[in-house]
Amino acid sequence: MASRDEGGRKKSSIVTLKTKPFERSLALTRLGVGAGAKIMAHSLTNIFRGEISRDSANRDFYERQAQILADELGRLKGSVMKAGQMLSLYGQYFLPEEAVIVLSQLQDDTPPVAWKVVQPVLERNLGKTRLRELDIDTEAMAAASLGQVHRARRKSDGLELCVKIQYPGVADAIESDINTLSRLLIMTRLTPKGLNLGPVFNEVREMLYREVDYKSEADFTRRFAQRLAGDDRFVVPQVIDDYSTPQVLTTTYEANVSVRSPQVQKLGLARRNRLGEAFFELFCNEFFRWGMVQSDPHFGNYRFRIGERAEDDRIVLLDFGATRLFPRPFVSAYSDIVEGALRHDRAQVVRGAKAIGLMNEKMPDAALDAFVAMCEAIVEPFEPADSERADAKLRNANGAYRWGDSDLPMRMGRVAATNALSVHFRVPPREIVFLHRRLAGVFIMLATLRCELDAREPLLAALHDAHDGRAKSTAE
């Protein structure tokens, strides 16, 4: 099965990869010099996110610059492309809006590389004798920034497999790629002058090393499978150790379709709600009860298997390379923020925010009030249906929240952009960035399923367990 775009068209393969640090650095440096010169000639001053006065010409210019950057990152693949994805998350706090939008499109929707590029990796890791046990489709079924996946079949018993192969030179190029990309952002003048990006790139570096560790990903795959073994709403692939190494990860193939497929979208409301409930409960378990969160909400990682009856519908969970562990004190403090927002308890929200480093003692009351107001707005879907804060236009006749009709993420994005202009603002702790990425993914999934759900009780139950201490954190 070839890697294809959203329209089903086969993507052309990349025949060669720049794998040596010098040639990768040279390609990005040339890009940065050219972009920097163009930006200087353009002589803009209002380039930062949140400035309403930017005209359409300015927006078009920065979108073109960001697109050039994204295209080159996509061709280079590897850690520099993954770093571009990470920057689309952090960048919402300091990059021009146009750059964030374009970089966010790097989310693993890329052409595969030719078989001759990845075949040597497979042969070195598994050996030719072991490889002869498999029939492998030489056209990738999916391609990402750090590797690509090929369908395979074990000859001895016909078991259908997925073989994930890491691109050559990815791990070795991480340090060089990070250093070059940090210089590139300065050269393209896309970041505010004086902003210290050191902590951001340290987190990106750590995430990259985590995601090229296929042994760790295999371990998290097993741990999720164990956690969900008794829940037939979910499917987690089985890791096949005989064909897995630090650079190759082989699992069982699990049939699935996208949430956007007609097969899912044509389901009745009750079945879509059932899937949405399971998806929301999964997040509550991961964060509040387990402290182990798959932090990449890309739709390619959450697929569906539709059965004859609602009871046969399944959510297929894929790719656990971005799994993060959250320590129990962080989970407890964050639970304070959520519970405080639900109860409209300012003191509890502030206490939780200070405990995880979102706020500090030096912040004036006005800044704290703005943060509390934002938190209370974010929990809109979980307000009681009869609350004066509940928007009747977003509730059905039974009081359930209509996720598909809500523009809450956009409203909160505007609020966050305004708050980012405050002199008291700083880039949030890394745990918050990745947790909120997954939270946004939950909202988008429920909206795409067009769910009409009252998720207040499942959330309250998860908060209770988080505070009660009965739930054992995986991170401990």
Side-chain angles (χ1 to χ4, degrees):
M1 179 179 179
S3 179
R4 298 180 183 274
D5 61 21
E6 290 263 340
R9 295 176 295 272
K10 180 179 175 182
K11 295 179 182 178
S12 58
S13 296
I14 298 173
V15 179
T16 61
L17 282 179
K18 295 183 176 73
T19 58
K20 295 182 174 60
F22 176 76
E23 61 182 353
R24 292 170 68 83
S25 176
L26 182 61
L28 284 172
T29 300
R30 286 173 175 168
L31 174 66
V33 170
K38 290 176 182 176
I39 291 173
M40 183 177 296
H42 197 68
S43 65
L44 293 175
T45 58
N46 59 339
I47 66 174
F48 301 123
R49 184 171 188 234
E51 294 194 18
I52 301 174
S53 61
R54 286 178 299 174
D55 58 30
S56 60
N58 292 345
R59 290 179 179 273
D60 290 345
F61 176 79
Y62 275 91
E63 184 172 356
R64 288 195 302 273
Q65 291 302 115
Q67 189 63 61
I68 292 171
L69 171 61
D71 288 345
E72 184 61 26
L73 296 183
R75 281 190 290 270
L76 287 174
K77 284 190 172 284
S79 55
V80 75
M81 179 185 164
K82 193 70 179 183
Q85 295 179 19
M86 296 298 102
L87 284 175
S88 76
L89 301 176
Y90 279 107
Q92 62 184 305
Y93 301 105
F94 55 78
L95 287 176
E97 183 178 4
E98 294 76 21
V100 174
I101 291 172
V102 173
L103 287 174
S104 68
Q105 295 170 359
L106 280 170
Q107 297 296 323
D108 288 345
D109 184 21
T110 64
V113 302
W115 175 248
K116 69 176 184 179
V117 177
V118 295
Q119 183 180 16
V121 178
L122 201 57
E123 291 178 346
R124 284 196 304 271
N125 279 265
L126 300 186
K128 293 184 178 181
T129 301
R130 181 69 80 182
L131 279 178
R132 281 196 289 270
E133 299 174 8
L134 304 176
D135 278 329
I136 302 178
D137 188 341
T138 58
E139 291 188 332
M141 64 178 293
S145 52
L146 302 175
Q148 63 191 41
V149 179
H150 291 255
R151 286 283 299 273
R153 184 183 63 85
R154 189 163 59 187
K155 296 176 183 178
S156 62
D157 59 3
L159 182 65
E160 295 291 328
L161 302 172
C162 287
V163 182
K164 182 177 179 180
I165 310 169
Q166 192 173 114
Y167 293 132
V170 162
D172 295 336
I174 288 177
E175 290 298 329
S176 174
D177 281 354
I178 290 294
N179 292 335
T180 302
L181 188 58
S182 63
R183 293 196 303 271
L184 179 62
L185 282 181
I186 296 173
M187 296 169 69
T188 54
R189 304 189 180 189
L190 287 174
T191 57
K193 185 177 181 180
L195 178 66
N196 179 18
L197 289 179
V200 173
F201 278 106
N202 286 339
E203 168 61 18
V204 172
R205 180 183 290 106
E206 180 182 326
M207 174 62 80
L208 288 169
Y209 278 116
R210 185 182 299 118
E211 292 206 27
V212 297
D213 184 354
Y214 283 7
K215 292 187 70 174
S216 175
E217 182 178 344
D219 179 57
F220 279 123
T221 304
R222 295 187 192 95
R223 291 165 79 173
F224 269 83
Q226 182 180 17
R227 291 278 188 177
L228 295 169
D231 194 333
D232 60 7
R233 298 173 299 173
F234 301 97
V235 175
V236 179
Q238 175 188 349
V239 175
I240 308 300
D241 291 321
D242 286 347
Y243 309 109
S244 297
T245 73
Q247 291 181 304
V248 176
L249 176 59
T250 300
T251 66
T252 53
Y253 170 76
E254 304 295 342
N256 62 77
V257 296
S258 167
V259 66
R260 295 192 178 100
S261 72
Q263 191 177 356
V264 175
Q265 290 296 312
K266 72 180 182 182
L267 293 174
L269 178 60
R271 290 179 72 168
R272 285 184 279 112
N273 279 348
R274 183 180 182 275
L275 291 169
E277 287 173 354
F279 194 80
F280 182 74
E281 185 179 320
L282 174 66
F283 168 76
C284 287
N285 284 333
E286 287 184 34
F287 180 67
F288 294 107
R289 297 186 175 99
W290 305 344
M292 181 176 69
V293 178
Q294 201 288 60
S295 66
D296 186 354
H298 187 269
F299 276 178
N301 297 335
Y302 298 96
R303 310 282 287 186
F304 295 85
R305 183 183 299 169
I306 305 304
E308 292 295 324
R309 306 169 305 160
E311 294 76 15
D312 300 323
D313 295 342
R314 303 286 184 266
I315 300 176
V316 181
L317 308 179
L318 304 172
D319 194 342
F320 297 91
T323 301
R324 299 186 63 87
L325 299 178
F326 290 85
R328 181 52 47 189
F330 179 91
V331 174
S332 181
Y334 193 88
S335 298
D336 269 335
I337 298 175
V338 177
E339 187 175 63
L342 288 170
R343 296 173 54 192
H344 310 298
D345 184 334
R346 180 185 186 277
Q348 187 175 10
V349 173
V350 172
R351 182 172 66 248
K354 288 181 178 178
I356 60 178
L358 274 174
M359 301 281 123
N360 61 55
E361 300 295 337
K362 297 181 181 180
M363 290 187 173
D365 286 343
L368 296 177
D369 289 342
F371 176 77
V372 172
M374 182 174 68
C375 292
E376 291 182 348
I378 289 173
V379 298
E380 170 188 289
F382 310 102
E383 292 282 358
D386 58 357
S387 168
E388 62 181 17
R389 295 174 179 264
D391 187 344
K393 296 190 298 295
L394 294 175
R395 303 281 174 160
N396 66 14
N398 297 320
Y401 193 78
R402 299 204 311 269
W403 296 80
D405 293 338
S406 176
D407 65 345
L408 182 62
M410 288 180 286
R411 280 186 275 133
M412 290 304 98
R414 290 192 293 267
V415 172
T418 301
N419 289 346
L421 297 178
S422 166
V423 295
H424 304 287
F425 171 82
R426 65 194 186 92
V427 176
R430 61 186 184 178
E431 293 89 353
I432 289 292
V433 173
F434 288 93
L435 176 61
H436 285 183
R437 171 169 69 157
R438 175 61 191 284
L439 274 171
V442 171
F443 195 107
I444 293 170
M445 179 63 77
L446 297 185
T448 305
L449 286 169
R450 308 188 316 283
C451 291
E452 297 182 11
L453 286 178
D454 182 353
R456 179 178 174 84
E457 291 306 317
L459 178 59
L460 291 176
L463 290 169
H464 176 270
D465 286 351
H467 287 307
D468 193 22
R470 291 184 300 176
K472 180 67 174 178
S473 172
T474 304
E476 290 179 346

